[in-house]
């Protein structure tokens, strides 16, 4: 049985790396890896860390690329690869444009699609944009749905997806996280090496969502600037996404502000260890809403909604929205109110036990054996 895994961005690579490794080690499965390289440097960092060598690299990234460009380049690029390789199943992950376009390209070749991290929903078509729709559309192209949680499964059932093809697996991000988090951890990055994590309170920040570009991002960075100016025992570390639009706004508002460190994206291993040593986290990232609870770190989510309410229910994540005053006030509360901080800072893990990949491989193998027997 031939299984092709397709991904293109940093978070997909992190969450699919342990799965590709598991597929590579499974007898009876020929595993092929195709990257679209919707991201370039940020993807390559992950490939290097997990020692993955793609069989195909579509190398599509263009500076300031549009969603239509990504979609059409993945569709056209993958057509050729799929025709040549003829996999039995294509695995895609999550909600990026690579995910949706790879699912569509596979459907056009009548190849079965397995959707990893299926069933998350905000029910708002434009938030996150275009991710909510990418995930919904991929869900309707998929033949197997690997849902991290029971809630994700129920979302799919409400859309009349057949229960027999939904598998609750946990999120593969926990598999990846457990592989790389280490104690004690020594940083190699020059900025991080100089920070005294015992005496300073570190706030780790990331921000990149398309719907936050522009005014929302200015509000978010404005709140961060105020925090840095007001609290002199705080260090703010912001490994900036490579998106030039994000960097421009971040540099405009945060460059030169005392105690704010604008650095390049970190390799996954130092990054999660930075999260583990942080006081709390401010982010609009999806994946970090899953990692932070597992690490027991409070997260303020700078978005209007989340498709990951499990972390909010568990108490470690709060929606802070995109208003400057609210983000500032909620952050300040964590810095001045010990009880409020303690209430959020506990390790819970609604997203799995680190064995998600095993469950996915098992389901794929069972499908392969069933189809062989019926031929
Ligand atoms: C993409 C995904 C988003 C995901 C995010 C994770 C879409 C539409 N968006 O958003 O769902 O949450 O990745 O980070 O699928 N760039 C580089 N080098 C890199 C990566 C990006 O230079 O390694 C720059 C390029 O100029 C590129 C721009 O960033 O054009 C934006 O990248 P793109 O993949 O289009 O969007 P993201 O905002 O990264
Ligand atoms: N991450 C990383 N280096 C960084 C910032 C984030 O490795 O400098 C990791 C983070 O731990 C998480 C993933 O990248 O696993 C999140 O990616 P991103 O925020 O780009 O996408 P999203 O999670 O929003 O889809």
């Amino acid at each position: 049985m031939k299984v092709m895994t397709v991904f293109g961005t940093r978070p997909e690579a992190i969450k699919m790396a342990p799965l590709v490794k598991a597929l590579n080690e499974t007898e009876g499965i020929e595993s092929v890896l195709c990257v679209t390289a919707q991201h370039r440097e940020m993807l390559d960092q992950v490939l290097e860390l997990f020692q993955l060598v793609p069989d195909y690299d579509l190398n599509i990234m263009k500076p300031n690329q549009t969603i239509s460009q990504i979609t059409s380049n993945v569709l056209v690029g993958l057509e050729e690869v799929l025709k040549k390789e003829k996999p039995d199943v294509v695995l895609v992950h999550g909600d990026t444009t690579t995910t949706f376009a790879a699912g569509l390209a596979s459907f056009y070749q009548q190849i079965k699609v397995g959707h990893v991290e299926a069933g998350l929903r905000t029910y708002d078509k434009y938030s996150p944009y275009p991710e909510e729709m990418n995930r919904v559309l991929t869900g309707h192209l998929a033949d197997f749905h690997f849902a991290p949680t029971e809630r994700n499964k129920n979302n799919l059932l409400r859309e009349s997806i057949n229960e027999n093809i939904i598998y609750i697996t946990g999120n593969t991000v926990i598999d990846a996280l457990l592989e790389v988090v280490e104690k004690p951890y020594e940083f190699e990055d020059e900025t991080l090496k100089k920070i005294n994590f015992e005496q300073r309170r570190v706030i780790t920040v990331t921000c990149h969502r398309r719907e936050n570009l522009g005014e929302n991002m200015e509000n978010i960075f404005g709140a961060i600037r105020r925090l840095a100016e007001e609290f002199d025992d705080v260090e703010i570390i912001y490994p900036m996404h490579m998106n030039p639009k994000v960097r421009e706004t971040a540099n405009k508002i945060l460059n030169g502000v005392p105690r704010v460190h604008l650095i390049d994206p970190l390799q996954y291993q130092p990054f999660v260890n930075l999260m583990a040593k942080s006081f709390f986290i401010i982010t609009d990232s999806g994946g970090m809403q899953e990692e932070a609870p597992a690490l027991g770190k409070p997260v303020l989510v700078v978005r209007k909604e989340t498709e990951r309410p499990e972390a909010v229910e568990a108490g470690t994540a709060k929606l802070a929205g995109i208003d400057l005053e609210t983000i500032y006030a909620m952050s300040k509360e964590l810095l001045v109110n010990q009880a409020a901080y303690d209430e959020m800072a506990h390790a819970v893990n609604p997203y799995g036990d680190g064995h998600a990949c095993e469950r996915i491989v098992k389901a794929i193998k069972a499908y392969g054996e069933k189809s062989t027997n019926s031929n």
Side-chain angles (χ1 to χ4, degrees), residues 10-11 14 208-209 239 265-268 271-272 285-288 291:
R10 168 173 66 192
I14 291 168
H208 71 84
R209 303 227 80 84
L266 288 167
Q267 175 68 283
Y268 185 54
F271 186 76
V272 289
S285 155
M288 286 163 63
E291 291 160 344

Side-chain angles (χ1 to χ4, degrees), residues 17-266:
L19 181 56
V20 173
K21 276 192 170 177
L23 288 166
N24 289 348
E25 286 160 12
T26 303
E27 224 172 279
I29 289 184
E30 184 186 346
S31 167
V32 179
L33 173 60
C34 174
V35 296
T36 65
Q38 174 178 334
H39 286 171
R40 187 70 275 172
E41 301 90 324
M42 286 162 53
L43 171 74
D44 293 342
Q45 280 185 320
V46 185
L47 295 176
E48 189 195 315
L49 173 68
F50 289 98
Q51 296 175 319
L52 295 179
V53 182
D55 300 288
Y56 296 90
D57 187 334
L58 304 183
N59 197 24
I60 65 155
M61 195 193 87
K62 298 274 180 305
N64 281 313
Q65 59 205 357
T66 67
I67 305 170
S68 310
Q69 285 169 335
I70 305 170
T71 309
S72 50
N73 289 334
V74 172
L75 263 182
V76 174
L78 259 186
E79 180 170 27
E80 211 178 298
V81 176
L82 293 173
K83 278 185 174 159
K84 181 163 174 251
E85 284 291 334
K86 299 189 174 50
D88 299 290
V89 177
V90 167
L91 294 177
V92 295
H93 181 279
D95 61 4
T96 73
T97 295
T98 284
T99 314
F100 165 59
L104 187 59
S106 307
F107 165 70
Y108 284 164
Q109 300 305 316
Q110 301 191 18
I111 294 168
K112 300 254 187 262
V113 176
H115 188 197
V116 180
E117 202 184 78
L120 287 68
R121 296 287 185 270
T122 62
Y123 300 104
D124 180 344
K125 193 170 165 182
Y126 291 108
S127 193
Y129 168 81
E131 289 82 4
E132 172 72 4
M133 225 35 193
N134 280 342
R135 206 187 293 265
V136 170
L137 294 168
T138 308
H140 289 270
L141 293 165
D143 301 277
F144 313 95
H145 306 258
F146 302 111
T149 68
E150 180 92 37
R151 175 194 302 265
N152 303 148
K153 175 177 175 176
N154 289 334
N155 290 343
L156 293 169
L157 291 175
R158 271 197 296 278
E159 290 171 25
S160 303
I161 307 277
N162 180 347
E163 185 165 13
N164 297 330
I165 56 169
I166 309 175
Y167 304 82
I168 298 179
T169 59
N171 198 309
T172 60
V173 76
I174 304 297
D175 302 31
L177 184 75
L178 296 181
E179 204 177 313
V180 302
V181 79
E182 264 178 25
K183 259 184 187 171
Y185 185 85
E186 296 293 331
F187 293 108
E188 281 171 23
D189 179 275
E190 287 305 319
T191 308
L192 300 182
K193 258 187 183 167
K194 287 190 201 128
I195 306 254
N196 183 338
F197 284 87
E198 269 73 55
Q199 286 177 12
R200 315 286 292 163
R201 294 192 289 179
V202 168
I203 305 175
T204 296
V205 173
T206 77
C207 193
H208 71 84
R209 303 227 80 84
R210 277 175 192 252
E211 70 274 14
N212 276 343
L213 294 174
E215 197 185 328
N216 294 355
M217 230 168 248
E218 292 189 4
N219 290 341
I220 296 164
F221 298 154
I224 288 164
R225 186 186 172 120
R226 249 164 83 179
L227 289 172
E229 285 168 347
E230 190 173 322
F231 291 90
D232 60 11
D233 68 329
V234 155
E235 302 287 340
I236 295 181
I237 306 195
Y238 177 10
M240 286 184 293
H241 196 281
M242 298 293 292
N243 188 336
K245 294 194 181 96
V246 174
R247 292 185 156 232
E248 196 187 310
T249 311
N251 277 312
K252 189 174 84 183
I253 298 174
L254 294 171
N255 197 15
V257 176
R259 297 178 284 281
V260 174
H261 309 271
L262 300 179
I263 59 174
D264 281 334
L266 288 167

Side-chain angles (χ1 to χ4, degrees), residues 275-276 278-281 292-300 311 314-318 334 337-348:
M275 284 175 77
S278 297
F279 190 61
F280 71 91
I281 289 149
L295 297 168
K297 297 296 166 179
V299 204
L300 297 181
T316 37
K318 274 190 184 159
L334 286 176
N337 182 342
Q338 184 68 42
Y341 180 84
D342 291 343
E343 212 172 286
M344 287 182 81
H346 51 261
V348 282

